[in-house]
Amino acid sequence: MQPPLRTVHTAEALAFLRSGPLPEGAAILTSLPDASELRSWPFAKWQAWFVEAAEQVVRATPPQSAAIFYQTDVKRDGTWLDKSYLVQQGAYAAGAHLLWHKIVCRAPAGRATFARPGYAHLLCFSRDRLDTVEAATPDVLPELGAMTWPRAIGLHAAHAAVLWLRDQVQARCIVDPFCGVGTTLAVANYHGLPAIGVELAPGRAQKARELSL
Ligand SMILES: C[S@@+](CC[C@H](N)C(=O)[O-])C[C@H]1O[C@@H](n2cnc3c(N)ncnc32)[C@H](O)[C@@H]1O
């Protein structure tokens, strides 16, 4: 029997990931929530949670597969918070290797930006899958693409990540444990892959069930 093209759980992501293994052939594409989405928490608590969440996402990824994170840094109280560094702490704690680190331009090169930098990170990790390193794909994505809402992954970045997972690790299902309104799920479906999303906010989870490109 064919798996459903899209399943969205209204649930807490880390509890979902702990509840059992992901389907065979699953790969992860996700964006962990920014501190501004968890405003009731002290900043240090969010930062520790973020690293722990990255670790759990990587641990939940099947060994021969990969997990891709799309994250945008923030400039905060005069300092620069590098989420690539935080994700890498979690991923290395899970025993993973960084397969690649791409930069996605959010603003044209040469333009100054405020509050958020002019680029986002796309980071890909795997615990066992090292045979993709030779399969070079562009390291700088010149455009983010359209965004379905202000916290969304840009569509160009989502297409590039899903195609990489499909073609380089032969992913047969895309999982986004922090799926928001379902951009990554819709992109996975667009490329013929079933998708599983998890989202805490019921309204966003409902949108994620319905989003089409
Ligand atoms: C950066 S947004 C993801 C955006 C998504 N990539 C999109 O394009 O719509 C992070 C999402 O994680 C959700 N979230 C925050 N904490 C969560 C948790 N513990 N479990 C599940 N979802 C959570 C937020 O409600 C938010 O929608």
Side-chain angles (χ1 to χ4, degrees):
M1 199 168 72
Q2 291 282 28
L5 207 50
R6 193 181 309 177
T7 307
V8 179
H9 302 274
T10 308
E12 199 286 316
L14 304 188
F16 173 85
L17 293 175
R18 279 193 299 267
S19 69
L22 297 179
E24 206 178 315
I28 293 185
L29 171 58
T30 198
S31 301
L32 305 179
D34 184 60
S36 59
E37 297 183 64
L38 299 164
R39 278 184 208 280
S40 59
W41 288 8
F43 185 73
K45 179 176 175 182
W46 166 81
Q47 195 164 328
W49 176 87
F50 190 98
V51 173
E52 161 74 18
E55 179 178 347
Q56 283 211 37
V57 166
V58 173
R59 283 194 192 285
T61 307
Q64 283 295 318
S65 188
I68 297 179
F69 295 83
Y70 172 85
Q71 305 290 165
T72 307
D73 296 345
V74 281
K75 302 173 189 176
R76 184 179 183 273
D77 298 336
T79 65
W80 190 294
L81 181 81
D82 186 336
K83 292 184 189 165
S84 158
Y85 171 63
L86 299 182
V87 171
Q88 290 189 54
Q89 286 182 56
Y92 291 136
H97 308 272
L98 180 64
L99 298 187
W100 47 253
H101 182 177
K102 298 185 189 300
I103 293 299
V104 184
C105 295
R106 303 177 73 247
R111 181 184 295 173
T113 58
F114 298 91
R116 306 203 94 181
Y119 61 83
H121 305 274
L122 263 183
L123 298 149
C124 180
F125 300 93
S126 179
R127 279 182 288 143
D128 289 338
R129 188 88 190 216
L130 302 178
D131 56 349
T132 62
V133 172
E134 298 303 319
T137 46
D139 296 321
V140 179
L141 280 62
E143 282 179 43
L144 184 63
M147 291 165 79
T148 54
W149 66 303
R151 296 192 187 280
I153 181 173
L155 280 174
H156 288 174
H159 281 290
V162 165
L163 287 173
W164 191 90
L165 291 169
R166 186 192 71 178
D167 298 341
Q168 300 301 329
V169 300
Q170 288 75 48
R172 297 195 298 282
C173 170
I174 301 296
V175 179
D176 185 348
F178 296 89
C179 74
V181 303
T183 317
T184 58
L185 313 180
V187 170
N189 290 168
Y190 178 88
H191 291 293
L193 292 173
I196 299 171
V198 184
E199 170 58 49
L200 204 50
R204 288 181 197 156
Q206 189 53 35
K207 284 184 183 164
R209 291 182 188 103
E210 294 162 2
L211 183 70
S212 64
L213 297 178

